[in-house]
């Protein structure tokens, strides 16, 4: 039997992390994801103690976070649980709902700012078609970034999470890295 070793979405043994001036870009290999959909006539659950948000919303609780993906549909996320059967935990907390494991289908990248929200706002303006003024903490939206469909989540003023399909992780990293590097170069002029 071959010896198999887990790798990150970017193909390394450890997650990639790079800083560009005030911005730090980090691959989050520990984020667990499961989609949750209400079945007909099912009552709205409270998985992991989360109050499921409405359109454009993101909500966090003690056991994880959730964001709206469509009518009666959400993505449930939890830090540090990527190597567990996370969907089973969500399913147990949401009886009568359809739950599907999503962890290995997505690449998660976090962008943090050490200089307040302004660098995050500039990055949003240059990469996605989202109005930064209307996209404050607690927001989540599906949009395009370069030629990819992504989810962009803003859990805090100085933090973004970008989720893209795992098979395009390298392309997504390159797009975010290029934007952050260019923004840093502009700030230095």
């Amino acid at each position: 039997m071959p010896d198999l070793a887990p790798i990150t979405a970017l193909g390394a043994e450890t997650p990639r992390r790079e800083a560009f001036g005030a911005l730090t870009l980090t691959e989050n290999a520990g984020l667990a994801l499961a989609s949750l959909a209400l079945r007909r006539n099912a009552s709205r659950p409270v998985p992991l103690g989360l109050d499921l948000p409405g359109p454009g919303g993101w909500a966090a609780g003690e056991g994880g976070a959730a964001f709206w993906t469509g009518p009666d549909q959400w993505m449930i996320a939890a830090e540090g649980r990527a190597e567990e059967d996370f969907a089973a935990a969500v399913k147990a907390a949401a009886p009568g709902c359809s739950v599907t494991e999503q962890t290995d289908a997505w690449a998660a990248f976090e962008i943090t700012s050490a200089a307040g929200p302004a660098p995050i706002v500039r990055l949003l303006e240059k990469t996605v078609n989202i109005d930064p003024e209307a996209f404050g903490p607690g927001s989540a939206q599906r949009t395009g970034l370069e030629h990819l469909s992504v989810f962009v989540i803003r859990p805090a003023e100085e933090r973004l999470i970008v989720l893209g399909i795992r098979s395009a992780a390298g392309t997504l990293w390159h797009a975010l890295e290029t934007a952050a590097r260019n923004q840093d170069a502009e700030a230095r002029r």
Side-chain angles (χ1 to χ4, degrees), residues 75-164:
M75 187 76 77
I76 312 299
E79 291 289 338
R81 297 184 67 179
E83 295 186 21
E84 299 177 22
D85 186 355
F86 182 62
V90 173
K91 179 71 175 161
C97 293
S98 296
V99 176
T100 305
E101 180 65 45
Q102 297 287 332
T103 302
D104 289 334
W106 299 90
F109 301 112
E110 295 196 24
I111 302 107
T112 55
S113 168
I120 294 291
V121 169
R122 282 194 302 278
L123 187 71
L124 281 169
E125 291 171 339
K126 293 186 181 282
T127 57
V128 294
N129 188 17
I130 295 175
D131 177 7
E133 297 298 320
F135 195 72
S139 297
Q141 195 169 64
R142 190 162 203 161
T143 188
L145 193 155
E146 296 280 328
H147 63 284
L148 301 170
S149 178
V150 298
F151 285 106
V152 179
I153 304 156
R154 192 163 185 195
E157 289 283 344
E158 297 87 15
R159 183 173 165 229
L160 288 178
I161 300 168
V162 178
L163 298 175

Side-chain angles (χ1 to χ4, degrees), residues 24 37 46 65 98:
T24 300
V46 185
S98 296

